[in-house]
């Protein structure tokens, strides 16, 4: 959970251009993460990472 908090702070500190470049670089297969306002994009990324962590725990 701490990792998600660190990621959220990192994303919050980015401007929209930096955020879009980050998403395209780190999640090229998930184009739906690129769409929306900054707040929505951050929420999608955090949900994606949370789901990824939950799948790894199974």
């Amino acid at each position: 959970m701490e990792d998600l908090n660190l990621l959220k702070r990192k994303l919050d500190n980015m401007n929209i251009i930096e955020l879009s470049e980050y998403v395209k670089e780190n999640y090229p297969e998930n184009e739906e993460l690129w769409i929306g306002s900054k707040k929505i994009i951050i929420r999608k990324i955090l949900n994606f990472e949370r789901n990824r962590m939950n799948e790894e725990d199974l």
Side-chain angles (χ1 to χ4, degrees), residues 1-16:
M1 190 58 101
E2 184 177 321
D3 292 340
L4 290 177
N5 290 331
L6 291 173
L7 178 59
K8 181 173 182 346
R9 275 186 256 148
K10 176 181 175 178
L11 297 173
D12 283 339
N13 290 331
M14 292 181 180
N15 65 39
I16 193 66

Side-chain angles (χ1 to χ4, degrees), residues 32-48:
E32 70 274 359
L33 294 179
W34 309 354
I35 301 168
S37 68
K38 179 179 177 179
K39 188 181 238 182
I40 291 172
I41 293 171
I42 291 171
R43 189 177 319 136
K44 287 179 182 180
I45 293 170
L46 294 174
N47 286 337
F48 179 82

